[in-house]
Amino acid sequence: AAQAAAAVGALGLTSLAAFAAPGGDLASMRASSIDLPTAVENGKPSVLEFYSVNCPHCNQAAKDLYPVEKRHQEINWVMVDTDLEQNRQLWESLGVSEIPHFAFLDADENLRATAVGAIDKAVAERGIALALGNEPARPN
């Protein structure tokens, strides 16, 4: 967790936090986002969603999880484009080998849960609850 926090905090990454995407797709999320350093500095828990614009599962996940993102304004939903070389250190530090990949971090940037693939709303809600500290972590 400390390694992830150091990577998140130390790098000037070209990553995007999505809150107000009108269409709930990757393109609109990218267009209406804040950068990762801002998300780290605001002290909120975060969901890091690792994606590629050419990944069909990533595009589907963006559409499916848009209502979850909109419902949880108390967290940062950060989109991390794995096609951008400057994001490599972050996704490698978190062990991202498949996309979409979701990392749920608490307000202190501790990794609380991960999920891989086109996750459903229930999996996203559970990860968010863990990031918010609303439920204890289960061993993997």
Side-chain angles (χ1 to χ4, degrees), residues 51-77:
Y51 75 97
S52 167
V53 293
N54 297 319
C55 167
H57 297 292
C58 300
N59 282 283
Q60 188 61 50
K63 291 177 185 172
D64 293 345
L65 297 178
Y66 180 70
V68 177
E69 295 169 21
K70 291 297 288 178
R71 186 168 36 258
H72 290 285
Q73 296 296 307
E74 74 278 23
I75 64 163
N76 300 309
W77 198 288

Short mmCIF file of all heavy atoms in Angstrom, two decimals, residues 51-77:
data_model
loop_
_atom_site.label_atom_id
_atom_site.label_comp_id
_atom_site.label_asym_id
_atom_site.label_seq_id
_atom_site.Cartn_x
_atom_site.Cartn_y
_atom_site.Cartn_z
N TYR A 51 -7.47 1.52 -17.79
CA TYR A 51 -8.19 1.23 -19.03
C TYR A 51 -7.33 1.56 -20.25
O TYR A 51 -6.26 2.15 -20.14
CB TYR A 51 -9.46 2.07 -19.09
CG TYR A 51 -9.17 3.52 -19.42
CD1 TYR A 51 -9.27 3.98 -20.74
CD2 TYR A 51 -8.74 4.41 -18.45
CE1 TYR A 51 -8.96 5.30 -21.06
CE2 TYR A 51 -8.42 5.72 -18.76
CZ TYR A 51 -8.53 6.15 -20.06
OH TYR A 51 -8.21 7.45 -20.38
N SER A 52 -7.85 1.18 -21.40
CA SER A 52 -7.32 1.60 -22.70
C SER A 52 -8.53 1.96 -23.56
O SER A 52 -9.56 1.28 -23.49
CB SER A 52 -6.55 0.45 -23.36
OG SER A 52 -6.30 0.75 -24.72
N VAL A 53 -8.40 3.00 -24.34
CA VAL A 53 -9.53 3.41 -25.19
C VAL A 53 -9.90 2.34 -26.22
O VAL A 53 -11.02 2.30 -26.69
CB VAL A 53 -9.28 4.76 -25.89
CG1 VAL A 53 -9.23 5.88 -24.87
CG2 VAL A 53 -8.04 4.73 -26.74
N ASN A 54 -8.96 1.47 -26.55
CA ASN A 54 -9.22 0.42 -27.54
C ASN A 54 -9.72 -0.88 -26.92
O ASN A 54 -9.90 -1.86 -27.62
CB ASN A 54 -7.95 0.14 -28.35
CG ASN A 54 -7.53 1.35 -29.14
OD1 ASN A 54 -8.35 2.04 -29.71
ND2 ASN A 54 -6.24 1.62 -29.15
N CYS A 55 -9.94 -0.90 -25.63
CA CYS A 55 -10.39 -2.10 -24.91
C CYS A 55 -11.91 -2.13 -24.85
O CYS A 55 -12.53 -1.28 -24.20
CB CYS A 55 -9.80 -2.07 -23.51
SG CYS A 55 -10.51 -3.24 -22.35
N PRO A 56 -12.56 -3.10 -25.52
CA PRO A 56 -14.03 -3.15 -25.50
C PRO A 56 -14.60 -3.37 -24.10
O PRO A 56 -15.64 -2.79 -23.76
CB PRO A 56 -14.39 -4.30 -26.43
CG PRO A 56 -13.13 -5.02 -26.74
CD PRO A 56 -11.99 -4.15 -26.36
N HIS A 57 -13.91 -4.15 -23.27
CA HIS A 57 -14.41 -4.38 -21.90
C HIS A 57 -14.30 -3.11 -21.07
O HIS A 57 -15.15 -2.86 -20.21
CB HIS A 57 -13.63 -5.52 -21.24
CG HIS A 57 -13.80 -6.83 -21.91
ND1 HIS A 57 -14.99 -7.52 -21.94
CD2 HIS A 57 -12.92 -7.57 -22.62
CE1 HIS A 57 -14.84 -8.63 -22.62
NE2 HIS A 57 -13.60 -8.69 -23.06
N CYS A 58 -13.27 -2.31 -21.33
CA CYS A 58 -13.10 -1.03 -20.63
C CYS A 58 -14.23 -0.07 -21.00
O CYS A 58 -14.78 0.62 -20.14
CB CYS A 58 -11.76 -0.41 -20.97
SG CYS A 58 -10.34 -1.42 -20.51
N ASN A 59 -14.56 -0.01 -22.27
CA ASN A 59 -15.64 0.85 -22.72
C ASN A 59 -16.98 0.40 -22.14
O ASN A 59 -17.79 1.24 -21.72
CB ASN A 59 -15.69 0.89 -24.26
CG ASN A 59 -14.63 1.79 -24.83
OD1 ASN A 59 -14.76 3.00 -24.80
ND2 ASN A 59 -13.55 1.21 -25.31
N GLN A 60 -17.21 -0.90 -22.08
CA GLN A 60 -18.45 -1.41 -21.49
C GLN A 60 -18.50 -1.11 -19.99
O GLN A 60 -19.54 -0.72 -19.48
CB GLN A 60 -18.59 -2.91 -21.74
CG GLN A 60 -19.94 -3.46 -21.32
CD GLN A 60 -21.09 -2.81 -22.08
OE1 GLN A 60 -21.07 -2.74 -23.30
NE2 GLN A 60 -22.08 -2.33 -21.36
N ALA A 61 -17.38 -1.30 -19.30
CA ALA A 61 -17.34 -1.01 -17.87
C ALA A 61 -17.67 0.45 -17.60
O ALA A 61 -18.39 0.76 -16.65
CB ALA A 61 -15.98 -1.37 -17.29
N ALA A 62 -17.15 1.35 -18.43
CA ALA A 62 -17.43 2.78 -18.24
C ALA A 62 -18.93 3.05 -18.33
O ALA A 62 -19.48 3.80 -17.52
CB ALA A 62 -16.68 3.60 -19.29
N LYS A 63 -19.59 2.42 -19.27
CA LYS A 63 -21.04 2.61 -19.41
C LYS A 63 -21.80 1.99 -18.24
O LYS A 63 -22.70 2.59 -17.68
CB LYS A 63 -21.53 2.00 -20.72
CG LYS A 63 -21.06 2.76 -21.93
CD LYS A 63 -21.48 2.09 -23.21
CE LYS A 63 -20.89 2.81 -24.41
NZ LYS A 63 -21.11 2.10 -25.65
N ASP A 64 -21.40 0.77 -17.86
CA ASP A 64 -22.11 0.06 -16.79
C ASP A 64 -21.94 0.72 -15.42
O ASP A 64 -22.85 0.71 -14.61
CB ASP A 64 -21.63 -1.39 -16.70
CG ASP A 64 -22.01 -2.23 -17.91
OD1 ASP A 64 -22.88 -1.78 -18.71
OD2 ASP A 64 -21.45 -3.33 -18.07
N LEU A 65 -20.76 1.27 -15.17
CA LEU A 65 -20.46 1.80 -13.84
C LEU A 65 -20.71 3.30 -13.71
O LEU A 65 -20.56 3.86 -12.62
CB LEU A 65 -19.02 1.47 -13.46
CG LEU A 65 -18.73 -0.02 -13.35
CD1 LEU A 65 -17.28 -0.25 -13.01
CD2 LEU A 65 -19.64 -0.70 -12.34
N TYR A 66 -21.12 3.93 -14.77
CA TYR A 66 -21.39 5.37 -14.72
C TYR A 66 -22.38 5.74 -13.60
O TYR A 66 -22.12 6.69 -12.84
CB TYR A 66 -21.88 5.86 -16.07
CG TYR A 66 -22.19 7.33 -16.10
CD1 TYR A 66 -21.18 8.28 -16.01
CD2 TYR A 66 -23.50 7.78 -16.21
CE1 TYR A 66 -21.47 9.63 -16.04
CE2 TYR A 66 -23.78 9.13 -16.23
CZ TYR A 66 -22.77 10.05 -16.15
OH TYR A 66 -23.06 11.39 -16.16
N PRO A 67 -23.48 5.00 -13.43
CA PRO A 67 -24.39 5.36 -12.33
C PRO A 67 -23.74 5.25 -10.95
O PRO A 67 -24.04 6.02 -10.05
CB PRO A 67 -25.55 4.36 -12.47
CG PRO A 67 -25.46 3.85 -13.87
CD PRO A 67 -24.01 3.91 -14.25
N VAL A 68 -22.84 4.30 -10.78
CA VAL A 68 -22.13 4.14 -9.51
C VAL A 68 -21.23 5.36 -9.29
O VAL A 68 -21.19 5.92 -8.20
CB VAL A 68 -21.31 2.83 -9.50
CG1 VAL A 68 -20.50 2.70 -8.21
CG2 VAL A 68 -22.23 1.62 -9.68
N GLU A 69 -20.52 5.76 -10.32
CA GLU A 69 -19.65 6.93 -10.23
C GLU A 69 -20.47 8.17 -9.84
O GLU A 69 -20.06 8.95 -8.98
CB GLU A 69 -18.95 7.19 -11.56
CG GLU A 69 -17.99 6.10 -11.96
CD GLU A 69 -17.52 6.24 -13.40
OE1 GLU A 69 -17.58 7.35 -13.95
OE2 GLU A 69 -17.07 5.23 -13.96
N LYS A 70 -21.59 8.37 -10.48
CA LYS A 70 -22.43 9.55 -10.21
C LYS A 70 -22.99 9.52 -8.79
O LYS A 70 -23.11 10.56 -8.15
CB LYS A 70 -23.59 9.62 -11.21
CG LYS A 70 -23.16 9.94 -12.64
CD LYS A 70 -22.52 11.30 -12.76
CE LYS A 70 -23.55 12.39 -12.62
NZ LYS A 70 -22.98 13.73 -12.69
N ARG A 71 -23.32 8.34 -8.29
CA ARG A 71 -23.92 8.20 -6.95
C ARG A 71 -22.89 8.50 -5.85
O ARG A 71 -23.26 8.90 -4.75
CB ARG A 71 -24.48 6.79 -6.80
CG ARG A 71 -25.25 6.56 -5.54
CD ARG A 71 -26.05 5.26 -5.49
NE ARG A 71 -25.44 4.10 -6.11
CZ ARG A 71 -25.78 3.62 -7.31
NH1 ARG A 71 -26.70 4.22 -8.05
NH2 ARG A 71 -25.20 2.54 -7.79
N HIS A 72 -21.62 8.32 -6.12
CA HIS A 72 -20.58 8.44 -5.09
C HIS A 72 -19.68 9.64 -5.32
O HIS A 72 -18.50 9.50 -5.61
CB HIS A 72 -19.76 7.15 -5.02
CG HIS A 72 -20.51 6.00 -4.46
ND1 HIS A 72 -20.78 5.87 -3.11
CD2 HIS A 72 -21.09 4.94 -5.07
CE1 HIS A 72 -21.48 4.78 -2.91
NE2 HIS A 72 -21.68 4.19 -4.08
N GLN A 73 -20.22 10.81 -5.12
CA GLN A 73 -19.43 12.03 -5.27
C GLN A 73 -18.44 12.20 -4.11
O GLN A 73 -17.57 13.08 -4.18
CB GLN A 73 -20.36 13.24 -5.35
CG GLN A 73 -21.25 13.22 -6.59
CD GLN A 73 -20.45 13.31 -7.87
OE1 GLN A 73 -19.65 14.21 -8.05
NE2 GLN A 73 -20.65 12.37 -8.77
N GLU A 74 -18.55 11.36 -3.07
CA GLU A 74 -17.63 11.45 -1.94
C GLU A 74 -16.29 10.75 -2.21
O GLU A 74 -15.42 10.73 -1.36
CB GLU A 74 -18.29 10.87 -0.67
CG GLU A 74 -18.41 9.36 -0.61
CD GLU A 74 -19.61 8.76 -1.36
OE1 GLU A 74 -20.14 9.39 -2.29
OE2 GLU A 74 -20.01 7.65 -1.00
N ILE A 75 -16.15 10.18 -3.40
CA ILE A 75 -14.89 9.54 -3.77
C ILE A 75 -14.37 10.14 -5.07
O ILE A 75 -15.12 10.76 -5.83
CB ILE A 75 -15.04 8.01 -3.94
CG1 ILE A 75 -15.97 7.68 -5.10
CG2 ILE A 75 -15.48 7.35 -2.65
CD1 ILE A 75 -15.87 6.27 -5.58
N ASN A 76 -13.10 9.91 -5.33
CA ASN A 76 -12.50 10.24 -6.63
C ASN A 76 -12.60 9.00 -7.50
O ASN A 76 -12.23 7.92 -7.06
CB ASN A 76 -11.02 10.58 -6.47
CG ASN A 76 -10.76 11.76 -5.58
OD1 ASN A 76 -11.34 12.81 -5.75
ND2 ASN A 76 -9.89 11.58 -4.61
N TRP A 77 -13.08 9.15 -8.71
CA TRP A 77 -13.03 8.06 -9.68
C TRP A 77 -12.00 8.47 -10.71
O TRP A 77 -12.23 9.35 -11.52
CB TRP A 77 -14.39 7.84 -10.33
CG TRP A 77 -14.50 6.50 -10.97
CD1 TRP A 77 -13.87 6.08 -12.11
CD2 TRP A 77 -15.25 5.38 -10.51
NE1 TRP A 77 -14.20 4.78 -12.38
CE2 TRP A 77 -15.04 4.32 -11.42
CE3 TRP A 77 -16.09 5.17 -9.41
CZ2 TRP A 77 -15.64 3.07 -11.27
CZ3 TRP A 77 -16.68 3.95 -9.27
CH2 TRP A 77 -16.46 2.92 -10.18
#
